[in-house]
Amino acid sequence: MGASTMLLTLAKTYVALIVYVVIFSMADGMLITTFLIECMHMKTVEESKRSSAFGFAMMSSGICALSSPPLSGFMADTFGNYIAAFLMAGGVGVIGSLIPFLLICVKRESEQNFDNNIEGIMDQGESEHINEHELNPAVVLWT
């Protein structure tokens, strides 16, 4: 979505706008669907707190949606056109899409470090002192 919004400044014909709308709509549909699946069905939030997390996410997106038009108008008044506003909106989208990839990398690294620590303990012959909760990365990382 962010890249297509940034490229919208290059659209000069009606066909280019149609291409933009199709790409943006598909990306928006994938984003919303992924967000709903993540928020409602995954284990990132405790089940008792899912409704609060979903409400907070909707409130945050509502605040951003309400503040975007005045900010874009201010930028258009300052710069004389809307190019900076589209570039800023697209840039925020691109940066926002990179955050989940960063979280995946951090999670993999922490799991790898956990596995290395367990292997080190096992190599030292201290395996008889390990209980089942220490061997489960989900218990260690998420509790």
Side-chain angles (χ1 to χ4, degrees), residues 78-98:
T78 302
F79 298 114
N81 58 32
Y82 283 97
I83 292 175
F86 283 112
L87 293 177
M88 184 192 74
V92 168
V94 169
I95 291 170
S97 68
L98 295 177

Side-chain angles (χ1 to χ4, degrees), residues 109-122:
E109 184 175 320
S110 65
E111 287 176 354
Q112 185 178 21
N113 289 340
F114 178 80
D115 290 341
N116 290 341
N117 289 341
I118 293 298
E119 288 175 6
I121 291 171
M122 298 294 272

Side-chain angles (χ1 to χ4, degrees), residues 20-84:
Y20 164 75
V21 167
V22 168
I23 292 171
F24 185 86
S25 299
M26 288 174 41
D28 188 45
M30 287 185 270
L31 174 76
I32 298 301
T33 304
T34 304
F35 174 74
L36 289 174
I37 290 171
E38 177 68 26
C39 199
M40 296 300 174
H41 299 294
M42 296 303 208
K43 304 289 184 194
T44 55
V45 178
E46 294 177 19
E47 188 172 346
S48 63
K49 296 180 181 177
R50 284 186 187 157
S51 59
S52 296
F54 185 72
F56 180 74
M58 291 293 110
M59 181 188 70
S60 300
S61 64
I63 290 171
C64 291
L66 285 173
S67 63
S68 297
L71 182 59
S72 296
F74 174 75
M75 293 177 74
D77 291 342
T78 302
F79 298 114
N81 58 32
Y82 283 97
I83 292 175

